[in-house]
Amino acid sequence: PISCADFVVKGKRIAIYIDGAAFHAGARLRRDKLIRARLRLSSQPWVVMEWQASDLSRGEALFDTINGTTT
């Protein structure tokens, strides 16, 4: 494994990452971008969704976003 997502939607190859603002700087940002690009470009690609902790307040709208995604 190259990464451990916060959530994975089984059967759809969707990886969901929830990051706080502290993780969007410097080496961490570059590492995260590289890992997520590798997931998207792999021979069996993943849909990668990236949300901020504040996005979790959107509740049901997040489920709609996931359900509207096709792989």
Side-chain angles (χ1 to χ4, degrees), residues 3-68:
S3 177
C4 183
D6 295 300
F7 301 97
V8 171
V9 180
K10 291 182 179 182
K12 287 192 168 192
R13 294 187 67 82
I14 298 174
I16 301 170
Y17 292 88
I18 311 292
D19 287 335
F23 292 99
H24 294 285
R28 288 181 178 167
L29 176 61
R30 288 188 295 277
R31 182 203 63 207
D32 286 353
K33 284 185 177 188
L34 175 66
I35 288 170
R36 293 165 191 187
R38 287 179 63 192
L39 287 169
R40 288 179 177 114
L41 299 172
S42 69
S43 61
Q44 294 180 340
W46 286 80
V47 172
V48 178
M49 296 182 168
E50 302 174 67
W51 297 329
Q52 301 265 330
S54 60
D55 291 327
L56 296 176
S57 66
R58 293 178 37 221
E60 191 173 331
L62 295 179
F63 290 105
D64 293 341
T65 300
I66 294 167
N67 289 329

